[in-house]
């Protein structure tokens, strides 16, 4: 007799497409998903607990390792929170360096996302093209601060290193190069019929659901909600530059894909303006006391990282260490919608949807 | 209070043979200490100018409970002077008088032996190098007496506050505190009545988000309950974010109101944080409204033994995993949550790691 | 079909483009000067101030000093200095706070070994690790004599 049974499948902790050690327990009926239960915590390193014994400069290397694909924004959110709490002024050149670095990081992070997303879907060449271009950015960072992935670059009050000779010119040359590459990537992938058949109308949700679930970044903007923290609550020097915020209409994976590619283009636009307006001289660190001791109080700031809204909530008791440091991680919050989206989908669409949310498990677990 | 007296006695008695200056200074310090203990909410000595602005802000209608500074008792002296003219001279004079009254009060209230040691201290200080100090001490004693008398007047003649009784047992201290509270109210009234602010201490300009906070508080209070909002204040450091502290019993209704009301519409829950203060637990919800771009932070307090806060998941689905994380790491229970399980730690883990008193079973980890 | 053909066009174009693959490990990979590699330690310059051990976020530096054997001079002289490279994250904070630049980074990054014990480096190894020493050390965390402004310490 033929009968069907429900199958319990583990989409592994070790799986090439889960973007890290992340596990989804999936109950299948044939190939259709009945229920999906995400299990995380495999990469939980206790950053928040460790931070209670370290002073703020020592926590900065830990923030690098939280969202390792976009470490500059993680660095920045911590520095920005402490600076808001202390009321510090940042010199203009340091702020420009921070902004340039963060926008370059956004381009790099979206390239990683693009390459790995297409690799998950099945295309092998975009991965290498993306990483080839990302190498250029990583080399720029290597020259600037001495590391390729975990920069430890920002400090409370400014940045650690100033731009070396010729670095700004290299950034300036990179921008048109990347723009031509973006055109190539569009030609390569965005018109591809197989790709469109796999991506369109997959993982769709509407604006109210997105706001309910607290999604941010491209996941929120793909439904048409105009909420980009660089425009709504400008931090650093973003209100000096002109750029657009791409919005989607349908709220499916294809919209998220297009939005992220367009965000690379807008980041290049910001970079072009920033490099033009870069001050020729200035300090890289503001007037900061020797021991960073913020006054007692609490603060919550958030910025727009490539994945969404990353926030930092600090409760300080006036000592050099924070009393409680909590990171609002976008990947963690964005992932909540996954069980809801996966009901009724096939296994192939699981990978597509999971990749479209753009998570980094180091951030999910913190 | 008696310990203070004993301490004074010891200090004074011990140093009876020492140099006069040391004696007078010690006595003065002991006096200051005694005066501080006398009125716990009053801070340092009266002659400190430029009091923190918090007093003004408090009087101006902010509802945060803050420890008072030394201006308080100066103000109380001011309010006693019906001439509502807060000029510095008058105040300083009043302060000096208050201080003298205080010193006298202390001296007069002491036990005979102490009086004896005090008296030589007083007298011994008269040939002191610094006659001003002696005058100050006397003025302080007088001031204290005047203050106690004023308090007695404010209270309506409660015998405990009679000038002859500087030492306080607990009920007396309570009475004094009540008197202080009344004096505070009187002071606030006097201040509200008199326009001019004190020259060195200007009131803080009202925060730009104050109207938003007031509106939110008023709506919650009127539509939910009077006790729903326990405290409401503005966090100036954090870009003037309004913060309200809500009682646990009213949280479900308040959450619904915050989300659905036309004037509020805080539809986007950004962040839920749990904080372990050693005396209690706190859960903070950071909200923002997409339409009006306004922010709000809501705090809920829970006690430490069995902390529980009603879950906000039915209202904002974002709270789901955030609350699971707080449960996992801090142990705060959220009744009403659809799926209360551990999220970061393995399911069989014992203990809540982010608590301040967490002892890992395996110290190597 | 059209999309597929356009994609194929891009692929064919890149077949003839310049290759960017490097032949590491046959050719050594040259890192820029600021690269944070394994540390190099100069015992003569160390004044045993302990700042590096204090600032290390993972507490991987252990050091002991002994009083200066020369009775004329004051201060301490370094006796042992160990870095546990199992947990060192090469974050560069130790060089940032060293007032005398006794500990600096090099551009070496090859430290792979077959046994964990090899990763616990002592003072002699660190002293001899002096190839490719980084020139620009930027120790903004150390007390800056006579310089105003950018001062920061742990």
């Amino acid at each position: 007799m033929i009968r069907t049974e429900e199958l319990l499948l583990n989409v592994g902790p070790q799986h090439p497409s889960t973007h890290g050690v992340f596990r989804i327990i999936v109950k299948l009926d044939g190939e259709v998903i009945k229920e999906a239960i995400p299990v995380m915590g495999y990469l939980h390193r206790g950053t928040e607990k460790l931070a209670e014994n370290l002073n703020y400069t020592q926590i900065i290397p830990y923030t690098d390792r939280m969202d390792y694909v976009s470490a500059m924004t993680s660095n920045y959110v911590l520095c920005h929170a402490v600076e808001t709490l202390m009321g510090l002024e940042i010199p203009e050149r340091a702020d420009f360096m921070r902004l340039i670095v963060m926008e370059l990081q956004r381009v790099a992070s979206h390239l990683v996302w693009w390459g790995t997303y297409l690799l998950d879907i099945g295309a092998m060449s975009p991965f290498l093209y993306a990483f080839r271009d990302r190498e250029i950015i990583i080399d720029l960072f290597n020259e600037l601060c001495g590391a390729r992935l975990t920069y430890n670059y920002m400090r409370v009050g400014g940045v650690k290193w100033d731009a070396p000779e010729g670095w700004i010119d290299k950034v300036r040359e990179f921008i048109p190069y990347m723009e031509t590459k973006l055109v190539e990537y569009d030609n390569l992938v965005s018109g591809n019929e197989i790709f469109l058949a796999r991506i369109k109308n997959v993982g769709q949700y509407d604006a109210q659901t997105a706001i309910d679930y607290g999604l941010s970044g491209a996941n929120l903007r793909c439904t048409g909600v105009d909420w980009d923290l660089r425009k709504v609550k400008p931090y650093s020097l973003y209100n000096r530059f002109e750029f657009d915020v791409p919005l989607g209409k349908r709220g499916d994976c294809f919209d998220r894909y297009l939005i992220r590619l367009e965000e690379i283009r807008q980041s290049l636009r910001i970079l072009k303006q920033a490099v033009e307006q870069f001050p020729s001289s200035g300090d890289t660190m503001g007037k900061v006391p020797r021991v960073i001791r913020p006054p007692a109080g609490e603060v919550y700031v958030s910025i727009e990282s490539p994945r969404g809204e990353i926030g930092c909530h600090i409760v300080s008791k006036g000592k050099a260490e924070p009393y409680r440091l909590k990171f609002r991680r976008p990947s963690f919050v964005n992932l909540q919608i996954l069980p809801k989206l996966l009901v009724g989908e096939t296994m192939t669409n699981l990978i597509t949807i999971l990749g479209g949310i753009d998570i980094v498990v180091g951030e999910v677990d913190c | 209070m008696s310990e203070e007296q004993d301490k004074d006695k010891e200090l004074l008695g011990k140093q009876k043979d020492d140099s006069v200056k040391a004696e007078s200074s010690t006595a003065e310090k002991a006096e200051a200490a005694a005066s501080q203990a006398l009125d716990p909410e009053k801070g340092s000595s009266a002659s400190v100018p430029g009091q923190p602005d918090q007093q003004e802000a408090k009087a101006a209608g902010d509802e945060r409970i803050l420890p008072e500074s030394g201006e308080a008792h100066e103000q109380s002296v001011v309010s006693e002077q019906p001439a509502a003219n807060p000029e510095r001279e008058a105040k300083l004079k009043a302060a000096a008088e208050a201080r003298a009254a205080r010193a006298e009060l202390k001296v007069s209230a002491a036990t005979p032996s102490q009086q004896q040691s005090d008296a030589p201290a007083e007298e011994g200080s008269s040939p002191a190098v610094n006659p001003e100090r002696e005058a100050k001490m006397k003025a302080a004693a007088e001031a204290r007496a005047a203050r106690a008398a004023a308090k007695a007047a404010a209270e309506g003649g409660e015998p405990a506050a009679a000038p002859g009784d500087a030492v306080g047992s607990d009920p007396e201290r309570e009475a004094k505190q009540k008197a202080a509270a009344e004096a505070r109210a009187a002071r606030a009234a006097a201040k509200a009545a008199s326009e001019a602010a004190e020259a060195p201490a200007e009131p803080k300009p009202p925060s730009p988000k104050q109207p938003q906070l007031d509106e939110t508080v008023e709506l919650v209070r009127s539509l939910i309950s009077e006790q729903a909002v326990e405290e409401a204040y503005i966090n100036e450091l954090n870009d003037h974010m309004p913060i309200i502290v809500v009682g646990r019993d009213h949280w479900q209704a308040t959450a619904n109101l915050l989300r659905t009301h036309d004037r509020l519409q805080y539809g986007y829950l950004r962040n839920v944080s749990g904080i372990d203060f050693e005396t209690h637990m706190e859960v903070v919800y950071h909200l923002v409204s997409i339409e009006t771009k306004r922010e709000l932070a809501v705090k809920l307090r829970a006690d430490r033994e069995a902390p529980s806060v009603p879950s906000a998941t039915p209202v904002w689905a974002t709270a789901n995993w955030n609350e699971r994380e707080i449960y996992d790491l801090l142990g705060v229970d959220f009744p009403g949550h659809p799926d209360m399980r551990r999220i970061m730690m393995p399911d069989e883990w014992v203990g809540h790691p982010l608590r301040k008193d967490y002892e890992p079973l395996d110290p190597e980890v | 079909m059209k999309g597929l053909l356009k994609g194929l066009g891009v692929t064919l174009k890149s077949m003839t483009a310049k290759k960017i693959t490097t032949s590491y490990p046959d050719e050594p990979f040259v890192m820029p000067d600021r690269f944070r590699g394994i540390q190099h330690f100069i015992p003569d310059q160390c004044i045993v101030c302990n700042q590096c051990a204090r600032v290390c976020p993972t507490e991987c530096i252990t050091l002991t000093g002994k009083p200066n054997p020369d009775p004329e001079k004051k201060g301490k002289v370094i006796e042992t200095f160990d870095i546990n490279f199992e947990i060192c994250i090469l974050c560069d904070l130790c060089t940032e706070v060293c007032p005398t630049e006794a500990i600096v980074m090099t551009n070496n990054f090859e430290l792979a070994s077959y046994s964990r014990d090899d990763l616990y480096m002592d003072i002699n190894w660190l002293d001899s690790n002096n190839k490719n020493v980084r020139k620009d050390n930027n120790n903004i965390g150390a007390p800056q004599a006579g310089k105003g402004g950018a001062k920061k310490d742990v």
Side-chain angles (χ1 to χ4, degrees):
Chain A
M1 271 309 294
I2 298 181
R3 61 164 216 264
T4 56
E5 246 183 36
E6 202 179 65
L7 175 67
L8 195 72
L9 184 68
N10 250 328
V11 182
Q14 296 110 333
H15 191 286
S17 294
T18 54
H19 299 283
V21 271
F22 176 63
R23 175 173 167 216
I24 313 177
I25 303 177
V26 165
K27 291 200 178 118
L28 288 172
D29 173 23
E31 246 206 65
V32 174
I33 300 177
K34 283 268 143 54
E35 193 188 338
I37 304 168
V39 178
M40 64 202 73
Y42 291 96
L43 198 46
H44 181 63
R45 292 160 286 183
T47 314
E48 297 178 355
K49 179 88 182 176
L50 284 169
E52 294 175 5
N53 296 327
L54 300 167
N55 61 1
Y56 293 96
T57 316
Q58 290 173 307
I59 302 175
I60 296 176
Y62 283 91
T63 59
D64 277 333
R65 284 147 176 86
M66 251 175 31
D67 181 357
Y68 37 81
V69 178
S70 150
M72 288 290 189
T73 43
S74 311
N75 272 352
Y76 181 71
V77 73
L78 180 66
C79 294
H80 186 54
V82 181
E83 285 153 10
T84 312
L85 189 55
M86 290 173 78
L88 288 177
E89 283 277 323
I90 317 295
E92 205 191 1
R93 188 171 163 110
D95 234 342
F96 262 96
M97 283 306 296
R98 283 179 168 186
L99 192 136
I100 291 177
V101 155
M102 280 204 288
E103 286 307 312
L104 277 175
Q105 182 72 83
R106 193 181 306 270
V107 175
S109 168
H110 281 325
L111 281 172
V112 170
W113 170 80
W114 185 77
T116 52
Y117 190 43
L118 287 163
L119 188 65
D120 292 343
I121 294 183
M124 309 257 193
S125 14
F127 177 71
L128 292 169
Y129 294 165
F131 273 68
R132 169 194 62 188
D133 297 324
R134 183 176 170 257
E135 271 300 300
I136 304 179
I137 303 181
I138 298 287
D139 279 341
L140 282 173
F141 284 154
N142 202 357
E143 276 181 32
L144 177 67
C145 57
R148 290 162 56 93
L149 196 67
T150 53
Y151 311 114
N152 192 17
Y153 178 57
M154 306 214 182
R155 295 281 184 270
V156 176
V159 294
K160 176 169 177 185
W161 301 92
D162 199 356
E165 282 291 319
W167 193 79
I168 296 287
D169 297 322
K170 285 191 196 155
V171 175
R172 198 175 285 133
E173 283 163 16
F174 170 70
I175 300 171
Y177 167 79
M178 193 66 218
E179 282 173 355
T180 53
K181 286 296 171 193
L182 273 180
V183 174
E184 255 186 45
Y185 296 160
D186 256 335
N187 286 342
L188 181 63
V189 177
S190 308
N192 196 312
E193 284 79 10
I194 306 176
F195 173 69
L196 289 175
R198 277 206 69 176
I199 286 270
K200 266 203 171 152
N201 298 325
V202 168
Q204 200 162 7
Y205 49 82
D206 63 341
Q208 192 52 47
T209 319
I211 297 180
D212 270 344
Y213 276 88
L215 301 183
S216 47
N219 299 314
L220 180 63
R221 294 196 280 278
C222 71
T223 57
V225 179
D226 189 2
W227 186 257
D228 182 337
L229 284 169
R230 296 174 291 169
K231 286 268 192 201
V232 170
K233 295 190 186 291
Y235 50 94
S236 186
L237 299 168
Y238 279 104
N239 44 10
R240 288 197 203 181
F241 302 114
E242 282 184 23
F243 61 101
D244 299 321
V245 173
L247 295 176
K249 285 194 289 284
R250 281 174 301 247
D252 60 354
C253 283
F254 186 49
D255 271 354
R256 278 169 251 159
Y257 171 86
L258 286 176
I259 288 177
R260 289 195 177 107
L261 280 185
E262 184 62 31
E263 276 181 10
I264 301 182
R265 208 166 275 131
Q266 296 300 322
S267 287
L268 292 173
R269 197 169 149 199
I270 300 179
L271 275 171
K272 211 187 306 197
Q273 296 169 46
V275 166
E276 295 306 314
Q277 298 179 21
F278 192 70
S280 49
S281 67
D283 281 332
T284 50
M285 278 285 280
K287 292 243 177 292
V288 179
R290 279 177 66 96
V291 184
I292 309 247
R293 213 169 258 146
E298 72 176 275
V299 72
Y300 173 75
V301 298
S302 56
I303 67 170
E304 181 86 14
S305 92
R307 285 175 178 79
E309 172 185 336
I310 183 167
C312 179
H313 182 202
I314 301 185
V315 176
S316 150
K317 295 241 161 152
K319 299 209 195 119
E321 298 96 31
Y323 185 76
R324 167 85 166 109
L325 176 64
K326 154 114 172 103
F327 287 104
R328 186 256 194 225
R329 293 101 57 198
S331 302
F332 181 69
V333 182
N334 290 351
L335 204 49
Q336 286 186 83
I337 203 173
L338 189 71
K340 181 173 180 310
L341 283 183
L342 285 183
V343 174
E345 295 280 355
T346 60
M347 277 302 290
T348 48
N349 283 344
L350 185 153
I351 303 293
T352 315
I353 295 172
L354 181 62
I357 300 182
D358 194 7
I359 61 167
V360 167
V361 181
E363 221 182 20
V364 171
D365 288 342
C366 173
Chain B
M1 247 354 250
S2 51
E3 307 93 89
E4 292 285 325
Q5 295 286 342
D6 288 339
K7 192 172 72 174
D8 298 343
K9 191 164 59 166
E10 260 180 89
L11 280 169
L12 290 171
K14 221 168 30 172
Q15 295 175 346
K16 214 157 59 164
D17 302 326
D18 289 353
S19 74
V20 165
K21 207 173 191 173
E23 207 171 20
S24 57
S25 69
T26 319
E28 202 181 48
K29 258 190 253 156
E31 216 177 76
S35 74
Q36 270 186 346
L38 191 67
D39 274 306
E41 60 262 68
K42 318 286 193 229
S44 43
S45 72
S47 59
V48 178
Q51 295 304 316
D53 305 329
Q54 289 169 345
Q55 298 303 320
E56 268 72 18
K58 269 190 54 117
D62 223 337
E63 291 158 313
R64 179 156 43 163
I65 302 169
L66 284 173
E68 291 198 43
S69 66
E71 191 193 27
H73 86 263
E74 219 182 279
Q75 295 277 326
S76 68
V77 175
V78 172
S79 63
E80 307 318 320
Q81 333 259 306
N85 198 348
E87 281 176 84
R88 281 210 60 104
E89 293 176 18
K91 233 188 251 144
L92 276 177
K93 207 170 67 167
E97 282 176 31
R99 243 176 291 141
R102 210 179 346 129
E104 236 179 33
L105 207 57
K106 187 169 154 17
V107 168
S108 62
T111 59
S113 56
Q114 193 189 359
Q115 259 182 350
Q116 272 178 0
S117 50
D118 257 353
E122 291 277 297
E123 282 165 11
S125 60
S126 46
V129 183
N130 202 347
E132 198 185 87
R133 199 176 272 152
E134 180 225 285
K136 252 196 254 172
M137 273 166 55
K138 225 165 63 147
E142 283 169 21
R144 210 191 296 161
R147 195 160 28 110
K151 264 196 225 118
E155 269 181 58
E158 218 186 286
D165 218 355
V167 291
S169 52
D170 278 347
E172 206 220 22
R173 197 179 281 152
E174 279 176 33
K176 279 216 185 65
Q177 284 178 350
K178 210 169 66 147
E182 286 184 39
R184 218 187 300 157
R187 187 178 25 102
K191 181 167 300 216
S194 67
E195 284 297 322
E198 194 181 346
E202 295 239 341
K204 244 192 323 216
S207 162
K209 306 261 172 87
Q210 187 70 34
Q212 175 199 347
L213 178 67
D214 292 336
E215 188 187 0
T216 314
V217 169
E218 195 193 298
L219 278 170
V220 173
R221 283 218 170 115
S222 56
L223 293 173
I224 307 280
S225 140
E226 270 302 311
Q227 291 89 31
V229 178
E230 290 171 9
E231 276 174 57
Y233 56 96
I234 299 264
N235 184 354
E236 283 91 20
L237 286 171
N238 189 11
D239 194 31
H240 295 267
M241 182 183 285
I243 302 185
I244 61 177
V245 180
V246 175
R248 286 205 319 270
D249 309 318
H250 308 275
W251 172 227
Q252 292 261 290
T254 312
N256 250 317
L257 181 77
L258 287 173
R259 177 148 179 257
T260 50
H261 196 272
D262 292 330
R263 306 272 311 152
L264 299 174
Q265 281 190 327
Y266 292 110
Y268 191 78
L269 173 65
R270 285 166 119 178
N271 180 33
V272 188
S273 309
I275 309 171
D276 178 11
F277 295 106
E278 272 111 22
T279 50
H280 61 278
M281 295 272 198
E282 204 168 273
V283 179
V284 186
Y285 290 78
H286 290 103
L287 303 164
V288 77
S289 165
I290 301 246
E291 292 84 8
T292 59
K293 304 192 180 24
R294 298 198 293 191
E295 300 177 335
L296 180 70
V298 182
K299 292 195 180 195
L300 286 96
R301 304 223 166 105
D303 39 279
R304 214 147 178 280
E305 279 74 43
S308 101
V309 169
S311 167
T313 312
V315 181
W316 297 283
T318 321
N320 195 330
W321 281 10
N322 281 313
E323 288 172 354
R324 270 179 74 186
E325 188 188 359
I326 298 179
Y327 163 67
D328 185 9
L329 296 174
L330 280 171
V332 181
D333 193 28
F334 290 90
H337 192 274
D339 183 21
M340 197 91 249
R341 276 184 297 144
R342 284 187 180 265
I343 191 171
M344 299 286 186
M345 309 305 287
D347 285 331
E348 316 80 48
W349 198 265
V350 171
H352 298 283
L354 210 49
R355 288 197 170 192
K356 296 286 177 184
D357 55 357
Y358 175 69
E359 293 288 328
L361 292 164
D362 183 3
E364 286 271 311
V365 169
Chain C
M1 264 330 275
K2 193 156 166 286
L4 280 163
L5 287 175
K6 262 203 321 196
L8 265 180
V10 174
T11 316
L12 289 173
K13 202 162 64 135
S14 72
M15 258 175 56
T16 55
K18 186 166 163 295
K19 303 287 181 289
I20 56 166
T21 325
T22 58
S23 0
Y24 179 82
D26 298 327
E27 284 170 17
F29 198 84
V30 177
M31 287 295 190
D33 179 58
R34 288 186 186 174
F35 183 72
R36 309 200 298 250
I38 312 171
Q39 288 92 338
H40 167 55
F41 182 63
I42 308 167
D44 299 325
Q45 294 184 7
C46 176
I47 56 172
V48 197
C49 65
N50 239 323
Q51 289 293 50
C52 53
R54 266 180 56 196
V55 79
C56 179
T58 50
E59 293 173 15
C60 67
I61 300 185
T62 39
L63 56 88
T64 59
K66 58 178 194 262
N68 198 325
D70 186 349
E72 294 290 312
K73 304 208 186 105
K74 284 199 290 195
K76 288 195 179 169
V77 165
I78 190 86
E79 193 178 354
T80 66
F81 187 89
D82 300 316
I83 298 186
N84 183 0
F85 276 105
E86 277 185 288
I87 50 181
C88 173
I89 57 177
L90 301 177
C91 65
D92 188 27
L93 286 174
C94 50
T95 60
E96 193 174 314
V97 296
C98 180
T100 54
E101 291 193 19
I103 182 162
V104 293
M105 310 296 263
T106 62
N107 291 344
N108 308 327
F109 53 87
E110 287 135 336
L111 196 57
S113 73
Y114 284 102
S115 142
R116 284 201 177 186
D117 301 327
D118 293 341
L119 289 177
Y120 200 81
M121 300 306 189
D122 65 344
I123 190 171
N124 301 315
W125 189 92
L126 287 168
D127 191 6
S128 59
N129 180 25
N130 55 3
K131 305 266 179 331
N132 300 330
V133 175
R134 188 167 78 165
K135 294 187 197 59
D136 178 7
N137 281 306
N138 201 12
N139 53 349
I140 57 176
Q144 311 274 336
K147 241 199 265 188
K151 260 199 281 249
K152 190 187 54 53
D153 195 29
V154 288

